[in-house]
Structures are given as C-alpha cells and as structure tokens.
Amino acid sequence: FFSSRRRHTRLQGGLEFRRVLFRSVLERGLPYVLIMEDDCIPEPDFDATVAEARALMLKGKMDITYLFASRVAVPETREERVSPSRRFRRIRRCIGMVAYLISQRAIKTILEDVERSKCEIDAAMYTINKAHPELLMFEALPHCVQHDFDVRSDVTLKTTK
C-alpha cells in the first residue's frame, strides 16, 4: 500500500502520483512495486500470476509486467517471443497502466528519462520501449485483472483554462 504525503502532485495538468511513488520505492530500496488503479478487479489467478512475476523479476528476467493489457499490446516478433514462463508473453509496448508490476531497474530508467527530458512520467512510460529496448516487458496471459470502467473514481481531473 502506498500513500504520498500529498494527495497527489500535478505537473502540466496531469496527475504525477507515479513520480512520488517511484521515488518512494527507490528511497526504500524495494526491488519492485505492484501498481493497480482503484477500479481494478483481480481474477481468481491473480495471486499466482503476481507471485510468479515477482519471482522472475527478482531473478532479473522481467522489468515490467502488465497484468491488464490494452488492445494495443504488440507482441515481439516470432524469434523474440522467448518467455521465462508460459504465463507471460514478451511485448514491445503496452499503452494502458491499469495494473502492472515494475522493477527497480525500470523505475530508475524512467525517472532518469523524466529528469533529463522534463516530460510527464506517463509520457515516459508510454515510450519506454523505444528509448530502452533492453528493458524486459511482458503481459500476463490470460490477463489477471479486469478494469471496471463503471466504478466512479475518487480522483477528479480539473481542466485549467
């Protein structure tokens, strides 16, 4: 469970809670963090999938594992589909960060990119595959989280003029 001292931070109109969370993970020396939006519903195989992903991440065989992948997840080419487990598929990109497990190595890389380019952290996450193809990105198969779009979030985005 994570809670920043501030409700959230804002940068250029976007929620930047990941920056606060990621810095906290590094400060505490955690090897990875599991992030889920508040409207996620775990499937029955959630615990087993996360446990396996955690074990593989601790061995350095994964950097980002998407537990809910959007329709735009693009698998690697056939030759690159080598996976450490039949439960996961290597991907080139995944847009949508509903639920994922992310390693300390990936967090450091993302924060360095954000500091260097002064971009929003979400933008860095969406383009991480292009900037850092060495990071090992996977999606869980089958996906072990549902996203309930009908649940009303307690976070409200306000536009500024």
Side-chain angles (χ1 to χ4, degrees):
F1 175 77
F2 166 80
S3 176
S4 70
R5 287 182 210 128
R6 291 171 274 176
R7 173 92 172 112
H8 49 70
T9 58
R10 290 187 183 275
L11 177 68
Q12 300 173 359
L15 291 173
E16 284 287 302
F17 74 93
R18 285 182 185 84
R19 184 189 306 254
V20 176
L21 171 62
F22 287 177
R23 285 182 179 157
S24 177
V25 168
L26 295 180
E27 287 169 6
R28 295 174 187 197
L30 302 175
Y32 59 84
V33 66
L34 170 63
I35 299 173
M36 293 177 63
E37 290 186 5
D38 60 350
D39 52 0
C40 287
I41 303 168
E43 294 284 347
D45 62 341
F46 175 82
D47 290 339
T49 301
V50 170
E52 186 173 346
R54 244 185 18 231
L56 291 166
M57 198 166 277
L58 289 172
K59 292 178 182 177
K61 296 183 177 188
M62 290 184 165
D63 287 304
I64 303 173
T65 303
Y66 297 95
L67 306 172
F68 171 91
S70 68
R71 284 178 236 108
V72 297
V74 178
E76 293 287 352
T77 60
R78 187 167 301 208
E79 302 79 44
E80 297 172 328
R81 286 188 184 170
V82 177
S83 177
S85 165
R86 292 188 326 162
R87 193 184 298 250
F88 304 100
R89 175 176 68 167
R90 181 90 190 260
I91 56 174
R92 286 186 285 169
R93 67 179 178 161
C94 186
I95 298 174
M97 294 174 286
V98 173
Y100 58 98
L101 197 65
I102 184 166
S103 71
Q104 187 181 86
R105 178 174 100 132
I107 289 170
K108 285 179 185 175
T109 301
I110 291 165
L111 287 176
E112 287 169 3
D113 285 357
V114 167
E115 294 302 318
R116 185 175 50 257
S117 65
K118 304 295 182 208
C119 68
E120 289 188 26
I121 201 159
D122 283 8
M125 295 229 14
Y126 292 141
T127 60
I128 192 75
N129 60 301
K130 290 180 184 175
H132 300 281
E134 73 279 6
L135 291 178
L136 305 171
M137 296 172 39
F138 293 86
E139 68 174 321
L141 293 174
H143 303 145
C144 63
V145 171
Q146 288 182 28
H147 192 195
D148 187 352
F149 293 100
D150 295 329
V151 172
R152 185 179 170 143
S153 175
D154 62 352
V155 176
T156 304
L157 296 176
K158 296 180 181 177
T159 57
T160 57
K161 295 181 180 182

